[in-house]
Amino acid sequence: MNKLDQARRIAHLIRDSLIERLKETGYIGDTNLDSNDLKSHHVIDQIATEVAMKELKYSNVAIYIEGEKPHIPDNVDYSIYIDPVDGSLNWDRGVGDPCIVIAISNHKEISCLNDLNFAYIYGLRSEDEYWTENNSAYYLCHLTQKTHKIKTAQTTGIENMVGYFRTGYGMAKNQLQKTLPLFYKVKDIRAIDNSGMEICEIARGAADIMVEARDVSDGFNLIAYPILKAAGGGVFSLNGLDIGSQSIKLEEKYNYIALGNPNQIVEIVDYIEN
């Protein structure tokens, strides 16, 4: 089974399990396990994790799943990284396009995002799919059933950009303190608060920039990186460093700028800071 087939199978099995639960419960509101922490694990995260682990049980692969202890056999062929439900709150509430994010590396454990050589994203509501293949990025639109090779819009000038700026999880103050100038400057502002899907939409030119400055996102929110990179974009720290080549620990928190046109990062950082 190739990488795309494996990722697609895991994603579809997770979606099937979540839909079966939804048929029984309906939309019952937030299912986060810690009612005082909106970023805590949700019941659906546990369900999705169980499905992924069962599917990978007999694979000779190192498994890293957000919020779970890594499973690392003695001798592995490759490593797989999974955010089983990116946008758990959105799924619980029946809004947006929560997604499943899967990335693969030939390394036993990645040291930076550039070590990831494959990524796959599956929209749980849209059923749209994104993936990488031969250093290119692809988008399968479920509505049309057509596959497109995608590139970022390469938009120049902040005033021409469509931005995804998150203010959710009660962290609006953190976001606004760091990025308020961009709210005034960009052409349009949207946010669905699913990192994987927002990064993919930048990759296909539907948006230009996404900024996470709330101090709440871990490294798993960045594993869709290979798709954006293959489409011509990049991910940067708030002070403009290319995160792709920086040392990363997926369980730690990161602020970042996902950008369709990497050449604009200097202008963006300068505008925020000055």
Side-chain angles (χ1 to χ4, degrees):
M1 187 181 298
N2 64 33
K3 294 175 183 176
L4 178 57
D5 288 342
Q6 183 182 49
R8 184 173 277 156
R9 175 173 170 77
I10 292 170
H12 285 218
L13 287 171
I14 289 174
R15 184 174 185 271
D16 289 347
S17 295
L18 295 183
I19 289 175
E20 285 304 310
R21 180 181 184 276
L22 186 61
K23 289 177 181 178
E24 297 176 2
T25 64
Y27 288 114
I28 57 175
D30 303 349
T31 64
N32 44 306
L33 301 179
D34 181 353
S35 60
N36 295 316
D37 180 8
L38 289 176
K39 288 292 288 183
S40 70
H41 248 37
H42 292 233
V43 171
I44 57 169
D45 293 314
Q46 293 184 322
I47 294 171
T49 295
E50 289 171 5
V51 171
M53 288 301 297
K54 182 178 179 181
E55 179 63 18
L56 293 167
K57 184 176 181 180
Y58 299 107
S59 299
N60 193 31
V61 54
I63 306 169
Y64 301 85
I65 299 179
E66 186 179 25
E68 302 293 330
K69 183 179 179 180
H71 173 75
I72 308 174
D74 292 334
N75 298 302
V76 301
D77 297 325
Y78 59 94
S79 57
I80 188 166
Y81 302 81
I82 303 175
D83 187 345
V85 185
D86 178 12
S88 303
L89 276 178
N90 282 354
W91 178 265
D92 285 346
R93 298 172 184 177
V95 300
D97 194 14
C99 61
I100 298 161
V101 188
I102 299 172
I104 292 175
S105 172
N106 291 332
H107 300 271
K108 184 176 182 179
E109 181 179 6
I110 64 169
S111 60
C112 64
L113 291 174
N114 282 330
D115 286 341
L116 297 171
N117 58 1
F118 172 83
Y120 171 84
I121 282 73
Y122 180 59
L124 285 166
R125 290 172 64 83
S126 68
E127 297 187 66
D128 288 348
E129 298 176 73
Y130 299 84
W131 67 91
T132 56
E133 187 175 344
N134 297 325
N135 297 315
S136 296
Y138 294 88
Y139 163 54
L140 171 58
C141 175
H142 179 71
L143 290 177
T144 64
Q145 286 298 297
K146 290 185 177 181
T147 299
H148 308 269
K149 186 176 180 179
I150 55 175
K151 289 289 185 181
T152 61
Q154 294 292 309
T155 302
T156 58
I158 302 172
E159 69 279 2
N160 298 315
M161 293 183 179
V162 174
Y164 286 152
F165 303 145
R166 290 95 158 278
T167 55
Y169 294 107
M171 295 293 179
K173 183 178 180 180
N174 287 14
Q175 181 77 294
L176 293 170
Q177 282 180 332
K178 298 181 179 74
T179 65
L180 184 60
L182 292 175
F183 281 75
Y184 292 120
K185 185 72 170 178
V186 295
K187 177 181 179 180
D188 191 16
I189 298 172
R190 304 291 163 111
I192 56 175
D193 223 320
N194 299 140
S195 297
M197 192 56 69
E198 289 178 344
I199 286 173
C200 287
E201 290 179 355
I202 293 172
R204 66 174 170 90
D208 303 293
I209 181 174
M210 184 261 279
V211 182
E212 171 59 271
R214 296 172 298 180
D215 306 310
V216 296
S217 288
D218 62 29
F220 278 90
N221 289 133
L222 289 168
I223 61 174
Y225 170 78
I227 293 173
L228 182 58
K229 179 184 177 183
V235 178
F236 303 86
S237 65
L238 297 188
N239 60 1
L241 292 177
D242 184 348
I243 289 180
S245 58
Q246 301 296 310
S247 176
I248 192 168
K249 294 186 181 299
L250 295 179
E251 68 277 5
E252 293 184 359
K253 298 292 189 295
Y254 292 91
N255 289 329
Y256 57 88
I257 300 169
L259 193 59
N261 185 351
N263 294 325
Q264 293 291 285
I265 187 60
V266 174
E267 178 186 1
I268 290 165
V269 171
D270 184 65
Y271 190 76
I272 292 174
E273 293 181 347
N274 299 302

